[in-house]
Every structure is written in C-alpha cells, then in structure tokens.
Amino acid sequence: MAKPYISKQKVKDFIFDIYCEKRDEIYKAESAAINKAVAATESFKRLEGALNSVRSIAEEIVQAGFGDSVLNKIPTLKSLLSETISRSKYMYSEPLKSWSTICEIVKPFEEQLSELSFAKCDAYKIIDNAQTGRAAADALKERGLDFYSWQKKEVEENLDISALKGGD
C-alpha cells in the first residue's frame, strides 16, 4: 500500500499550528503576569476608582442631555493598560526609567516570543530544504516535532459522523 502524499505546505501548516498554540500560551501568561502586577499596585486601584468616578459624572452629563461625547472620550483602565503594554514591548530591552517596571514584566515573555519565532523560521528552513513533504516531516520528527501524530489528530477532529446517524 502506497503511503499518502504529504505536501510541504501541509507540514508548514503543522508548524504554524504549533507556533500559534505556543504563542497564545505565552500571551496568556504575559497577560496574567501584568494583571497580577497591576492588581497589586495601589496606584492603579486609585486610577480605576477615579476613572469610574469620572465615568459616572459623564453619564450624568449624558442624562442631562448634553450628548455622549464626553463619556466616549473617557478611557477605560483596560484600554490604558493595553496601550502601556504595547508601547513597553518596543523598549523592553532598554527601558527608560519611567517604563522600567512594565518592561521588566514584559521582557521574559518578549524573549520567549522571539525564540519561538526563530524556531518557526528554522523549522520552515528545514521544510524548504527537504526534497519532499514526507522528508520534511521525517526531519522534523527527528527533532521532536511529530507531524504524523498531528495529522492523525487533525483527521479525527475533522471526521464527519453525521452519515453514521440513523434516520428518523
């Protein structure tokens, strides 16, 4: 029996799936670390209270019929944190003193993401240099990335069992 054809693109899809899973895990861990640090900071608690107070006053302005433009311009703590986090990701290796705490939290996660990206590129090079998709899958398996197990799992997840259901 002939072995089924494996395209290089299918092997690249496998690598990309692994990359996305690991990347998402890192993002979740980073978010949890930042949220934990923020929750422990009295200044952020006071800021959140102040923003809530400002929002309630702005809602009173809306109720009085002066429109919602003031309310719409008041940021949430979540949006402020999101902007802070995104800016810190660009300076984590050499942060300004005013950014040192957030950059210290972000740094290990950004380094993990960088390593993950390099590993994905290395895997893509292995695939591109292989003669066939099967050869690429075999080369990756030698390095601990089992395409064949992933392929079986993917096939099992995509099986359509509706044809096996009985009639009315």
Side-chain angles (χ1 to χ4, degrees), residues 18-157:
I18 292 173
Y19 168 79
C20 288
E21 286 175 21
K22 300 290 185 188
R23 180 198 62 200
D24 291 348
E25 289 173 12
I26 293 169
Y27 281 148
K28 285 178 185 175
E30 178 184 47
S31 179
I34 291 168
N35 287 334
K36 182 179 176 185
V38 166
T41 306
E42 188 60 38
S43 301
F44 275 106
K45 290 177 187 174
R46 289 195 327 260
L47 177 60
E48 185 173 30
L51 287 171
N52 288 338
S53 178
V54 169
R55 282 186 117 12
S56 66
I57 294 168
E59 287 170 1
E60 290 175 18
I61 292 170
V62 171
Q63 295 291 330
F66 290 100
D68 60 359
S69 62
V70 173
L71 180 61
N72 292 337
K73 290 187 183 339
I74 300 170
T76 63
L77 182 60
K78 186 175 181 178
S79 68
L80 291 174
L81 284 176
S82 179
E83 185 177 329
T84 300
I85 293 164
S86 65
R87 288 186 65 197
S88 69
K89 290 182 180 210
Y90 297 105
M91 63 174 70
Y92 72 89
S93 59
E94 292 182 34
L96 303 172
K97 185 174 178 167
S98 60
W99 288 83
S100 62
T101 301
I102 187 73
C103 289
E104 189 176 312
I105 295 169
V106 167
K107 184 176 182 172
F109 298 104
E110 289 303 309
E111 289 172 349
Q112 288 175 17
L113 288 169
S114 180
E115 289 171 12
L116 182 62
S117 182
F118 287 134
K120 179 183 78 164
C121 290
D122 289 345
Y124 281 175
K125 286 177 190 173
I126 290 169
I127 296 166
D128 290 338
N129 291 332
Q131 292 291 325
T132 64
R134 183 169 301 284
D138 292 341
L140 291 171
K141 188 171 183 175
E142 289 175 10
R143 290 171 175 80
L145 297 171
D146 191 356
F147 169 82
Y148 303 107
S149 293
W150 173 81
Q151 189 177 34
K152 283 180 191 175
K153 184 177 117 185
E154 187 180 64
V155 168
E156 289 170 3
E157 289 174 354

